[in-house]
Amino acid sequence: VDREMRVLQDKLYQHMYYDGTGLRDFASVMSGGRVVPELTSETCTVEHPGTPWYKRWGVRDNIASAPLAGLPPEFAIYPDTHVGSCWPMKGSRGSLGVALAQPTIVTSFTVDHIPRRMTFRYQSAPRSGQLWGLAEDSLPEVENATLTLANASTVLSNTPPVRNSRYAYSSLVLLGSFYFDIDSGEPFRTYNVSDDVLKQLGGTRFSIVVFVIGENWGNDEFTCLYRVRVHSDDTP
């Protein structure tokens, strides 16, 4: 029992004082991160002004309390994951571009979403996706390199703003993929950039990253991004 209590105390301490993960978040707007509009999908908003937003989102009159519709993408990089405090990205596929607080060697990233039992429409939770880094400089030449590279217009084919932007033909490098299990009961999950990718990148620092959502759990209208984070083992 004492051991179990110590484990619970450690988890509570980490949640309260170390943001749950114990890792610095370079994407957080509180640390200086910001959204890159040209690399970010549209926000899902109420189509008919005369229709209350909560009816469009399937919420009963007596429990409608949070202004969910139309919240800006900055909500996805803000450290608040209370019910309804998310960015409703339009559609089931899209992206969120983030300028990091400072250029950094990305070693892991985290995706947050409230557990299924806490949400009214779990189908809007992200299911799978990828994290890409914007290669502003040439990458190290590595023999037998297996890095995945593509231009932004190709990777972000579901994000219209990128097509006529300065990033249209910028190179993106795949840092990692994720699968978020909405039934796990966990409010977040951290994914590591593989050692192989880190080795080939050779200490490359990224100033801008793009979270690409490949699919959600069955909502074609919108995808709720509660929070995404970017971490580094690089010491300050």
Side-chain angles (χ1 to χ4, degrees):
V1 176
D2 290 342
R3 181 180 179 184
E4 292 178 353
M5 284 298 298
R6 284 196 297 271
V7 171
L8 289 174
Q9 288 174 348
D10 289 343
K11 287 184 176 181
L12 180 61
Y13 190 84
Q14 180 162 301
H15 175 75
M16 292 179 63
Y17 300 106
Y18 290 95
D19 204 16
T21 64
L23 301 170
R24 291 177 297 164
D25 179 12
F26 288 81
S28 174
V29 69
M30 303 299 287
S31 299
R34 63 179 178 82
V35 170
V36 182
E38 299 94 330
L39 302 175
T40 301
S41 296
E42 297 177 60
T43 298
C44 184
T45 57
V46 176
E47 295 179 5
H48 306 289
T51 303
W53 68 264
Y54 52 84
K55 290 184 179 180
R56 290 276 299 153
W57 291 73
V59 181
R60 300 192 305 274
D61 290 12
N62 64 335
I63 55 176
S65 59
L68 186 59
L71 294 179
E74 282 76 13
F75 271 74
I77 55 174
Y78 186 79
D80 180 3
T81 53
H82 287 90
V83 177
S85 183
C86 69
W87 171 49
M89 182 193 77
K90 186 175 181 179
S92 61
R93 298 181 178 183
S95 63
L96 173 67
V98 181
L100 303 178
Q102 65 185 55
T104 189
I105 301 171
V106 178
T107 54
S108 61
F109 60 98
T110 298
V111 177
D112 295 62
H113 195 282
I114 58 174
R116 179 172 178 168
R117 66 178 181 274
M118 296 292 293
T119 181
F120 299 109
R121 298 183 71 173
Y122 76 89
Q123 296 89 344
S124 64
R127 184 171 185 170
S128 64
Q130 302 166 326
L131 179 67
W132 296 75
L134 183 71
E136 298 176 278
D137 300 313
S138 58
L139 297 173
E141 293 187 8
V142 179
E143 187 176 355
N144 300 320
T146 57
L147 290 175
T148 300
L149 293 165
N151 68 57
S153 294
T154 300
V155 176
L156 309 179
S157 58
N158 293 296
T159 305
V162 74
R163 296 170 190 165
N164 298 315
S165 75
R166 56 177 172 162
Y167 299 110
Y169 298 102
S170 296
S171 294
L172 295 178
V173 55
L174 180 62
L175 299 177
S177 301
F178 72 87
Y179 176 85
F180 192 91
D181 184 1
I182 192 64
D183 292 313
S184 70
E186 296 294 330
F188 62 83
R189 183 175 175 184
T190 299
Y191 308 85
N192 294 319
V193 178
S194 73
D195 291 339
D196 184 53
V197 168
L198 289 174
K199 182 179 180 179
Q200 292 184 64
L201 287 174
T204 298
R205 296 176 182 272
F206 292 95
S207 298
I208 295 176
V209 298
V210 185
F211 286 88
V212 175
I213 306 304
E215 61 178 336
N216 60 26
W217 284 89
N219 189 324
D220 293 331
E221 187 177 7
F222 63 91
T223 301
C224 276
L225 291 185
Y226 271 83
R227 186 182 178 188
V228 292
R229 321 186 208 182
V230 175
H231 314 296
S232 177
D233 291 338
D234 192 27
T235 56

